[in-house]
Amino acid sequence: IASRWRSSFQDSPRPKHDNDGTVLTYKFHLEMASLEDMPHSVQLFMEQVHHGLWDGCAFVWNPDHLMLASPHVHAEQLEDGTFDIYEDDDKREDFIETGYTSISFQEYSDNMPHKQYTLGFAGRPGGPNFYINMKDNTRVHGPDGKTGDIETVDREGLEGDADPCFARVVAGFDAVDRMHALPVNGEGEGWQRNAFKDDVFIRYAKILPNKK
């Protein structure tokens, strides 16, 4: 059943507008991995969506190989024109209060490699930040891969473990590609250089009925 569970995301960048003044929106659908392959990660993400924890969060980081969503948003613009991407807009507290912050272990299945348009949890331990793989990142984010390009909380014994890959995009590929084409800062150090110039805010994420 889990392989047919779907989630829907609707995102909009702020303050980007179309010619008629309406906010640009991007909508895409996800299909969860099988519970036989990734039970822990799928449950965590579905609980996050069920409790509305991703509503009001944002995609904040946009390097060449992925797009990262986080409870942290660009709440403050710095004097040099870049953004403090670590500014906490109190969204992470919602995850902490519900207990759905991160996975308990670095779950991974060879049946869910980090192919293009799949989703993975970032960090050690993984979550709540997640990313969409914009190219085949199996070598980088899979077993024994190097995950230093994503900020992690170092935990002894977890350095060589893979990032959990728990879902894949199944509809709205054009929307994901258009999001990935949005401009980044292009300046600053480390994270700031590839941060979205304007956050792509998540209006809502919801669980869709199973397809028969």
Side-chain angles (χ1 to χ4, degrees):
I1 296 177
S3 63
R4 296 198 299 271
W5 284 350
R6 293 178 180 235
S7 296
S8 174
F9 273 79
Q10 184 165 354
D11 307 89
S12 62
R14 188 178 67 184
K16 294 285 185 180
H17 294 79
D18 209 343
N19 293 334
D20 62 358
T22 58
V23 176
L24 297 175
T25 58
Y26 307 86
K27 191 172 184 178
F28 58 91
H29 292 179
L30 307 175
E31 184 176 73
M32 300 297 104
S34 169
L35 284 181
E36 293 181 357
D37 294 326
M38 300 294 293
H40 180 38
S41 300
V42 167
Q43 180 186 16
L44 175 66
F45 187 75
M46 297 290 280
E47 291 287 2
Q48 291 172 345
V49 172
H50 173 72
H51 289 278
L53 298 179
W54 284 110
D55 299 359
C57 296
F59 283 86
V60 298
W61 199 47
N62 188 33
D64 177 63
H65 62 301
L66 58 80
M67 289 190 296
L68 182 78
S70 175
H72 295 284
V73 298
H74 295 166
E76 181 180 0
Q77 188 170 14
L78 305 178
E79 292 182 359
D80 63 1
T82 60
F83 291 88
D84 178 5
I85 68 169
Y86 298 105
E87 183 72 18
D88 193 346
D89 197 30
D90 294 327
K91 296 296 181 183
R92 187 173 294 269
E93 291 300 318
D94 296 337
F95 287 81
I96 295 173
E97 288 177 3
T98 59
Y100 298 121
T101 305
S102 62
I103 55 176
S104 300
F105 60 95
Q106 294 300 114
E107 184 180 40
Y108 185 77
S109 170
D110 290 335
N111 293 328
M112 281 296 295
H114 287 271
K115 298 291 188 180
Q116 187 179 22
Y117 298 118
T118 58
L119 275 70
F121 279 124
R124 294 292 185 274
N129 293 3
F130 73 87
Y131 54 83
I132 301 177
N133 289 299
M134 297 308 299
K135 65 179 184 181
D136 189 340
N137 289 318
T138 301
R139 185 184 64 82
V140 178
H141 297 154
D144 299 321
K146 297 179 180 179
T147 56
D149 55 342
I150 298 178
E151 184 200 12
T152 63
V153 178
D154 291 330
R155 300 294 170 87
E156 185 177 355
L158 295 179
E159 293 81 0
D161 288 349
D163 288 346
C165 186
F166 60 88
R168 59 176 61 87
V169 177
V170 293
F173 295 98
D174 58 332
V176 174
D177 290 340
R178 283 186 284 123
M179 288 167 56
H180 191 46
L182 292 171
V184 297
N185 286 335
E187 300 178 354
E189 298 290 333
W191 270 72
Q192 291 182 343
R193 185 171 59 255
N194 289 313
F196 276 108
K197 201 165 187 178
D198 295 298
D199 281 337
V200 182
F201 284 87
I202 299 172
R203 286 188 171 185
Y204 63 83
K206 65 180 181 179
I207 299 173
L208 301 178
N210 288 342
K211 276 195 169 184
K212 296 182 179 179

